Amino acid sequence: EPEVTQTPSHQVTQMGQEVILRCVPISNHLYFYWYRQILGQKVEFLVSFYNNEISEKSEIFDDQFSVERPDGSNFTLKIRSTKLEDSAMYFCASRETSSRETQYFGPGTRLLVL
Amino acid sequence: GQQVMQIPQYQHVQEGEDFTTYCNSSTTLSNIQWYKQRPGGHPVFLIQLVKSGEVKKQKRLTFQFGEAKKNSSLHITATQTTDVGTYFCAGSDNYGQNFVFGPGTRLSVLP
């Protein structure tokens, strides 16, 4: 069974610091997503990425956030200057094509901002 | 913006009882997906519905998409303890460029 992997599994950082969350989508997938889930709350869409550019982004995805696909396998989410309210579980997801419906989620990175 | 609501927020059932969660969108959807998330886990894709009035079944799970493509339901027949978790619907109005998740229904199954 193919799977999306994410590193690190946990990250603790000081407010104002930059963090980079890493994801390795499934190898033949073309659509990539970042979501976040604040503890006990719903999953919130952040951004989708296709063909090396952002397809859609939510209001949450402001100038503090950026995504990159630096090579053929990694997909990263950068938060430039973390705030306390950025503490959440961040999930990466990928999908094969627009017609392939299954969206595979990674195990998540739990980010804690102190 | 698009909003997705789900009811109930929590449901406690006795093992063997049926369970239904309902999802409503403020906008017409192009497609809707359902996910299950176990405590401490990540969302796991269950199914996608695309057509108006579509009904899909997976063993004891029945998924329905409303005629107006603004609401959906998930019904579980004869729940088992392995069904425990939070069930989320996620709607898209742009064919999957983004998905708006509902708040989820947390299901507890008492043995």
Side-chain angles (χ1 to χ4, degrees), chain A residues 33 37 43 45 48 101 103 106, chain B residues 33 35 37 42 96-97 101:
Chain A
Y33 304 81
Q37 187 176 32
V43 176
F45 168 81
S48 59
E101 54 195 37
Q103 198 172 179
Chain B
Q33 298 184 342
Y35 292 81
Q37 185 177 29
H42 60 274
Q97 288 190 63
F101 277 68

Side-chain angles (χ1 to χ4, degrees), chain B residues 65-80:
Chain B
F65 203 7
E67 295 289 339
K69 299 184 74 173
K70 295 183 73 172
N71 60 292
S72 181
S73 64
L74 158 59
H75 179 82
I76 303 179
T77 305
T79 54
Q80 299 174 357

Side-chain angles (χ1 to χ4, degrees), chain B residues 30-71:
Chain B
S30 53
N31 47 320
I32 190 162
Q33 298 184 342
W34 283 92
Y35 292 81
K36 177 182 178 181
Q37 185 177 29
R38 288 205 164 94
H42 60 274
V44 175
F45 175 88
L46 296 176
I47 209 150
Q48 173 167 277
L49 305 170
V50 177
K51 298 175 186 174
S52 168
E54 187 171 15
V55 178
K56 285 188 177 180
K57 293 191 175 186
Q58 287 180 352
K59 297 183 181 177
R60 295 177 295 104
L61 277 60
T62 302
F63 305 85
Q64 192 164 12
F65 203 7
E67 295 289 339
K69 299 184 74 173
K70 295 183 73 172
N71 60 292

Side-chain angles (χ1 to χ4, degrees), chain A residues 1 4-5 10 15 20 24 33 36 43 50 52-53 59 65-66 68 72-73 75-78 80 86 93 98 106 114:
Chain A
E1 177 77 11
V4 175
T5 59
H10 296 79
M15 190 170 59
I20 297 176
V24 179
Y33 304 81
R36 79 172 185 191
V43 176
Y50 169 73
N52 285 320
E53 59 182 28
E59 293 173 354
F65 291 87
S66 63
E68 206 175 37
S73 59
F75 180 50
T76 62
L77 174 69
K78 182 193 289 186
R80 289 191 183 82
D86 293 328
S98 61
L114 302 176

Side-chain angles (χ1 to χ4, degrees), chain A residues 13-17 19 79-84 86 111 113:
Chain A
T13 189
Q14 293 288 325
M15 190 170 59
Q17 294 295 306
V19 295
I79 309 175
R80 289 191 183 82
S81 179
T82 49
K83 303 187 284 284
L84 296 176
D86 293 328
L111 176 65
V113 182

Side-chain angles (χ1 to χ4, degrees), chain A:
Chain A
E1 177 77 11
E3 58 180 26
V4 175
T5 59
Q6 288 184 245
T7 55
S9 57
H10 296 79
Q11 174 100 45
V12 181
T13 189
Q14 293 288 325
M15 190 170 59
Q17 294 295 306
E18 173 184 287
V19 295
I20 297 176
L21 310 182
R22 291 183 168 81
C23 168
V24 179
I26 295 169
S27 60
N28 61 334
H29 285 194
L30 301 177
Y31 292 79
F32 314 116
Y33 304 81
W34 281 102
Y35 295 88
R36 79 172 185 191
Q37 187 176 32
I38 295 169
L39 187 63
Q41 297 188 23
K42 68 177 182 179
V43 176
E44 297 175 291
F45 168 81
L46 294 178
V47 66
S48 59
F49 193 86
Y50 169 73
N51 202 25
N52 285 320
E53 59 182 28
I54 291 174
S55 301
E56 278 282 320
K57 58 182 182 179
S58 70
E59 293 173 354
I60 302 168
F61 194 88
D62 61 21
D63 292 343
Q64 293 299 314
F65 291 87
S66 63
V67 289
E68 206 175 37
R69 190 154 160 83
D71 53 44
S73 59
N74 289 286
F75 180 50
T76 62
L77 174 69
K78 182 193 289 186
I79 309 175
R80 289 191 183 82
S81 179
T82 49
K83 303 187 284 284
L84 296 176
E85 53 265 37
D86 293 328
S87 295
M89 181 74 92
Y90 287 81
F91 292 108
C92 172
S94 72
R95 203 149 61 104
E96 188 174 342
T97 65
S98 61
S99 60
R100 292 282 184 182
E101 54 195 37
T102 305
Q103 198 172 179
Y104 293 88
F105 277 70
T109 294
R110 185 172 295 283
L111 176 65
L112 178 61
V113 182
L114 302 176

